[in-house]
Amino acid sequence: MPAPQSSTSNIRPQEGRPVLGHVNLMVDTLIVNANIDDLRAIVRATLASSPPSMAGTFSAAARNRLQQTNANVIRHTGNLFGTRPDGLAEPTPELRSVLVRVRALYGAGLGLASLKVLVSVVEATGGRRWHEKGEMENTFSDIDADISQALQSTREEIDGGRVPDLSKAREMLRELRIAIQESQREVESWGGVFPFERAAATLEFWKL
């Protein structure tokens, strides 16, 4: 008998938690053995051919899983950026891994949780310098876009009634503003180009 799995048809809306059920043995065998690209294609096809409510059920199950695995926790922020022989910063595999988790969080509707991680990413740029062009430029462009997407996800999270304590949301936005403002001041002090313009503009026009 297969191990209990989260049944996507048994999400309690009021709790956002799945009821444990059993997945068909053959389906479970497919899930265990299919490669990631095949699973992505299967999930997309299933959601596209299902009623709109299925996407909500899927997202609720995703949020539950991400919260269980503490996906918004960064154990060490000191290894998000490395140092090249010339002393300039470069992205690390750990940073790329963290950004993948960030996208999973805000994609599932956990915008506030993703902002917590992104604050740490912005703060980790402190004390570092980089070339305006090249790999770091592309990395910062991605992070800037991620912050904007996370803010949009946070709006939807609040509008959807999934943030019972708005004071926590305000505090997280305050921390993000401070991190971005500190980054801007530091980058300007050494003549660099501020990398989070889009995020700063989005924050400027959003009052909670």
Side-chain angles (χ1 to χ4, degrees):
M1 181 179 292
Q5 301 290 330
S6 296
S7 172
T8 57
S9 62
N10 291 317
I11 298 291
R12 293 194 183 101
Q14 69 273 24
E15 297 179 6
R17 295 182 177 180
V19 178
L20 287 179
H22 288 276
V23 174
N24 174 280
L25 178 59
M26 290 303 173
V27 173
D28 190 63
T29 300
L30 167 64
I31 292 171
V32 170
N33 291 281
N35 65 47
I36 188 64
D37 289 333
D38 287 341
L39 283 175
R40 285 171 176 157
I42 292 167
V43 169
R44 289 184 179 119
T46 300
L47 292 175
S49 60
S50 299
S53 60
M54 176 60 75
T57 301
F58 177 82
S59 294
R63 288 193 294 272
N64 184 64
R65 172 62 182 174
L66 291 169
Q67 288 168 334
Q68 286 179 343
T69 57
N70 295 319
N72 66 332
V73 176
I74 300 180
R75 301 191 184 281
H76 304 288
T77 59
N79 57 1
L80 298 182
F81 297 96
T83 304
R84 303 186 333 185
D86 60 5
L88 297 178
E90 63 180 358
T92 65
E94 176 64 21
L95 174 63
R96 297 185 186 96
S97 176
V98 165
L99 293 179
V100 167
R101 280 190 284 146
V102 162
R103 291 158 194 157
L105 285 166
Y106 69 64
L110 294 171
L112 275 178
S114 68
L115 287 179
K116 177 181 177 181
V117 180
L118 286 165
V119 167
S120 297
V121 172
V122 173
E123 290 175 341
T125 66
R128 297 184 178 275
R129 298 188 181 189
W130 51 84
H131 280 308
E132 294 178 15
K133 303 295 182 181
E135 189 175 15
M136 284 297 287
E137 180 187 34
N138 296 332
T139 298
F140 282 136
S141 177
D142 290 342
I143 294 171
D144 196 23
D146 283 328
I147 295 173
S148 296
Q149 291 292 328
L151 287 169
Q152 177 60 34
S153 178
T154 300
R155 286 194 188 95
E156 295 173 3
E157 190 176 7
I158 292 172
D159 292 344
R162 299 196 306 275
V163 181
D165 187 354
L166 287 181
S167 65
K168 292 183 178 180
R170 294 189 183 98
E171 176 61 21
M172 182 54 60
L173 291 175
R174 187 187 72 83
E175 291 180 13
L176 179 60
R177 284 192 179 95
I178 290 174
I180 288 178
Q181 289 167 358
E182 287 294 328
S183 173
Q184 184 171 19
R185 281 193 288 268
E186 181 174 340
V187 172
E188 289 175 350
S189 72
W190 55 266
V193 176
F194 178 53
F196 306 122
E197 289 284 0
R198 179 178 172 184
T202 303
L203 278 170
E204 181 68 23
F205 292 102
W206 187 25
K207 307 299 181 183
L208 180 60

